[in-house]
Short mmCIF file of all heavy atoms in Angstrom, two decimals:
data_model
loop_
_atom_site.label_atom_id
_atom_site.label_comp_id
_atom_site.label_asym_id
_atom_site.label_seq_id
_atom_site.Cartn_x
_atom_site.Cartn_y
_atom_site.Cartn_z
N GLY N 10 -2.86 -21.91 34.25
CA GLY N 10 -1.87 -22.93 34.55
C GLY N 10 -0.85 -22.54 35.61
O GLY N 10 0.11 -23.26 35.84
N GLU N 11 -1.04 -21.41 36.29
CA GLU N 11 -0.10 -21.08 37.37
C GLU N 11 -0.30 -22.05 38.52
O GLU N 11 -1.34 -22.70 38.65
CB GLU N 11 -0.33 -19.64 37.88
CG GLU N 11 0.35 -18.58 37.02
CD GLU N 11 -0.52 -18.18 35.84
OE1 GLU N 11 -1.60 -18.78 35.67
OE2 GLU N 11 -0.08 -17.29 35.09
N GLU N 12 0.69 -22.08 39.41
CA GLU N 12 0.58 -22.93 40.58
C GLU N 12 -0.58 -22.44 41.45
O GLU N 12 -0.90 -21.25 41.42
CB GLU N 12 1.86 -22.80 41.42
CG GLU N 12 3.05 -23.48 40.81
CD GLU N 12 4.26 -23.22 41.69
OE1 GLU N 12 4.78 -22.09 41.66
OE2 GLU N 12 4.65 -24.14 42.41
N PRO N 13 -1.15 -23.34 42.24
CA PRO N 13 -2.19 -22.87 43.17
C PRO N 13 -1.62 -21.77 44.06
O PRO N 13 -0.42 -21.82 44.40
CB PRO N 13 -2.52 -24.11 44.01
CG PRO N 13 -1.89 -25.27 43.31
CD PRO N 13 -0.85 -24.76 42.38
N PRO N 14 -2.42 -20.81 44.45
CA PRO N 14 -1.90 -19.69 45.24
C PRO N 14 -1.21 -20.14 46.51
O PRO N 14 -0.22 -19.55 46.92
CB PRO N 14 -3.15 -18.86 45.57
CG PRO N 14 -4.30 -19.53 44.95
CD PRO N 14 -3.84 -20.70 44.15
N SER N 15 -1.71 -21.23 47.14
CA SER N 15 -1.10 -21.63 48.40
C SER N 15 0.33 -22.10 48.16
O SER N 15 1.22 -21.84 48.96
CB SER N 15 -1.92 -22.74 49.05
OG SER N 15 -2.00 -23.84 48.17
N THR N 16 0.59 -22.78 47.04
CA THR N 16 1.94 -23.25 46.75
C THR N 16 2.87 -22.09 46.46
O THR N 16 4.01 -22.06 46.93
CB THR N 16 1.92 -24.21 45.53
OG1 THR N 16 0.92 -25.16 45.74
CG2 THR N 16 3.26 -24.87 45.34
N SER N 17 2.40 -21.12 45.71
CA SER N 17 3.31 -20.01 45.40
C SER N 17 3.57 -19.17 46.65
O SER N 17 4.67 -18.68 46.85
CB SER N 17 2.76 -19.16 44.26
OG SER N 17 1.51 -18.65 44.62
N ARG N 18 2.57 -19.07 47.55
CA ARG N 18 2.81 -18.32 48.79
C ARG N 18 3.81 -19.08 49.65
O ARG N 18 4.75 -18.49 50.21
CB ARG N 18 1.48 -18.12 49.53
CG ARG N 18 1.65 -17.40 50.83
CD ARG N 18 0.35 -16.82 51.39
NE ARG N 18 0.61 -16.25 52.70
CZ ARG N 18 0.14 -16.77 53.83
NH1 ARG N 18 -0.65 -17.82 53.82
NH2 ARG N 18 0.45 -16.20 54.99
N LEU N 19 3.65 -20.40 49.71
CA LEU N 19 4.58 -21.22 50.49
C LEU N 19 6.00 -21.03 49.96
O LEU N 19 6.94 -20.79 50.72
CB LEU N 19 4.16 -22.69 50.40
CG LEU N 19 5.03 -23.68 51.15
CD1 LEU N 19 4.75 -23.61 52.66
CD2 LEU N 19 4.82 -25.11 50.68
N ASN N 20 6.14 -21.12 48.64
CA ASN N 20 7.48 -21.00 48.07
C ASN N 20 8.07 -19.62 48.28
O ASN N 20 9.27 -19.48 48.53
CB ASN N 20 7.47 -21.39 46.60
CG ASN N 20 7.32 -22.90 46.44
OD1 ASN N 20 7.68 -23.65 47.34
ND2 ASN N 20 6.78 -23.33 45.32
N SER N 21 7.26 -18.58 48.20
CA SER N 21 7.86 -17.26 48.37
C SER N 21 8.25 -17.04 49.84
O SER N 21 9.26 -16.42 50.13
CB SER N 21 6.98 -16.15 47.80
OG SER N 21 5.96 -15.85 48.70
N LEU N 22 7.48 -17.64 50.77
CA LEU N 22 7.87 -17.53 52.19
C LEU N 22 9.19 -18.26 52.46
O LEU N 22 9.91 -17.94 53.40
CB LEU N 22 6.78 -18.13 53.08
CG LEU N 22 5.53 -17.28 53.31
CD1 LEU N 22 4.39 -18.13 53.87
CD2 LEU N 22 5.83 -16.12 54.25
N LYS N 23 9.49 -19.26 51.65
CA LYS N 23 10.70 -20.06 51.87
C LYS N 23 11.95 -19.48 51.20
O LYS N 23 13.04 -20.02 51.38
CB LYS N 23 10.47 -21.50 51.39
CG LYS N 23 9.64 -22.32 52.36
CD LYS N 23 9.08 -23.58 51.75
CE LYS N 23 10.14 -24.54 51.27
NZ LYS N 23 9.50 -25.75 50.67
N GLU N 24 11.78 -18.42 50.42
CA GLU N 24 12.96 -17.84 49.75
C GLU N 24 13.90 -17.22 50.78
O GLU N 24 13.46 -16.56 51.71
CB GLU N 24 12.53 -16.75 48.77
CG GLU N 24 12.08 -17.30 47.44
CD GLU N 24 11.41 -16.21 46.60
OE1 GLU N 24 11.64 -15.00 46.86
OE2 GLU N 24 10.65 -16.60 45.69
N PHE N 25 15.18 -17.42 50.57
CA PHE N 25 16.18 -16.81 51.47
C PHE N 25 16.57 -15.43 50.94
O PHE N 25 16.85 -15.26 49.75
CB PHE N 25 17.43 -17.69 51.54
CG PHE N 25 17.23 -18.92 52.38
CD1 PHE N 25 16.87 -20.13 51.79
CD2 PHE N 25 17.40 -18.88 53.76
CE1 PHE N 25 16.67 -21.27 52.57
CE2 PHE N 25 17.22 -20.02 54.54
CZ PHE N 25 16.85 -21.21 53.93
N HIS N 26 16.58 -14.45 51.83
CA HIS N 26 17.05 -13.11 51.48
C HIS N 26 18.04 -12.65 52.53
O HIS N 26 17.95 -13.06 53.69
CB HIS N 26 15.88 -12.11 51.46
CG HIS N 26 14.82 -12.46 50.47
ND1 HIS N 26 14.96 -12.22 49.13
CD2 HIS N 26 13.60 -13.05 50.62
CE1 HIS N 26 13.88 -12.66 48.49
NE2 HIS N 26 13.04 -13.17 49.37
N SER N 27 18.93 -11.77 52.13
CA SER N 27 19.82 -11.15 53.10
C SER N 27 19.04 -10.10 53.88
O SER N 27 18.10 -9.50 53.36
CB SER N 27 20.98 -10.49 52.36
OG SER N 27 21.65 -9.61 53.23
N ALA N 28 19.43 -9.88 55.14
CA ALA N 28 18.80 -8.81 55.91
C ALA N 28 19.17 -7.45 55.33
O ALA N 28 18.50 -6.46 55.56
CB ALA N 28 19.23 -8.88 57.38
N GLY N 29 20.27 -7.39 54.58
CA GLY N 29 20.70 -6.14 53.96
C GLY N 29 21.21 -5.15 55.00
O GLY N 29 21.32 -5.46 56.18
N ARG N 30 21.51 -3.95 54.53
CA ARG N 30 22.05 -2.92 55.43
C ARG N 30 21.00 -1.92 55.88
O ARG N 30 21.21 -1.20 56.87
CB ARG N 30 23.18 -2.16 54.72
CG ARG N 30 24.42 -2.98 54.54
CD ARG N 30 24.96 -3.45 55.90
NE ARG N 30 26.13 -4.27 55.70
CZ ARG N 30 27.33 -3.77 55.47
NH1 ARG N 30 27.51 -2.47 55.42
NH2 ARG N 30 28.34 -4.57 55.27
N GLY N 31 19.90 -1.83 55.16
CA GLY N 31 18.83 -0.90 55.55
C GLY N 31 19.36 0.48 55.84
O GLY N 31 20.09 1.06 55.04
N ALA N 32 19.02 0.99 57.02
CA ALA N 32 19.41 2.36 57.39
C ALA N 32 20.89 2.45 57.77
O ALA N 32 21.38 3.52 58.09
CB ALA N 32 18.55 2.82 58.55
N TRP N 33 21.60 1.34 57.76
CA TRP N 33 23.01 1.33 58.15
C TRP N 33 23.92 1.18 56.92
O TRP N 33 24.99 0.56 57.01
CB TRP N 33 23.28 0.22 59.16
CG TRP N 33 22.67 0.47 60.52
CD1 TRP N 33 23.27 1.11 61.57
CD2 TRP N 33 21.38 0.06 61.00
NE1 TRP N 33 22.42 1.13 62.65
CE2 TRP N 33 21.26 0.50 62.34
CE3 TRP N 33 20.29 -0.62 60.43
CZ2 TRP N 33 20.10 0.28 63.11
CZ3 TRP N 33 19.15 -0.83 61.20
CH2 TRP N 33 19.06 -0.39 62.51
N ALA N 34 23.49 1.75 55.80
CA ALA N 34 24.21 1.57 54.53
C ALA N 34 25.64 2.08 54.58
O ALA N 34 26.52 1.57 53.89
CB ALA N 34 23.44 2.27 53.40
N HIS N 35 25.90 3.07 55.42
CA HIS N 35 27.22 3.70 55.47
C HIS N 35 28.24 2.89 56.29
O HIS N 35 29.42 3.23 56.30
CB HIS N 35 27.08 5.08 56.12
CG HIS N 35 26.52 4.99 57.51
ND1 HIS N 35 25.18 4.75 57.76
CD2 HIS N 35 27.12 5.02 58.73
CE1 HIS N 35 24.98 4.67 59.06
NE2 HIS N 35 26.15 4.83 59.68
#
Side-chain angles (χ1 to χ4, degrees):
E11 278 85 356
E12 287 177 286
S15 59
T16 310
S17 59
R18 178 162 175 249
L19 180 76
N20 286 336
S21 80
L22 283 164
K23 283 164 61 180
E24 278 169 20
F25 285 95
H26 299 282
S27 165
R30 289 301 178 80
W33 290 270
H35 60 284

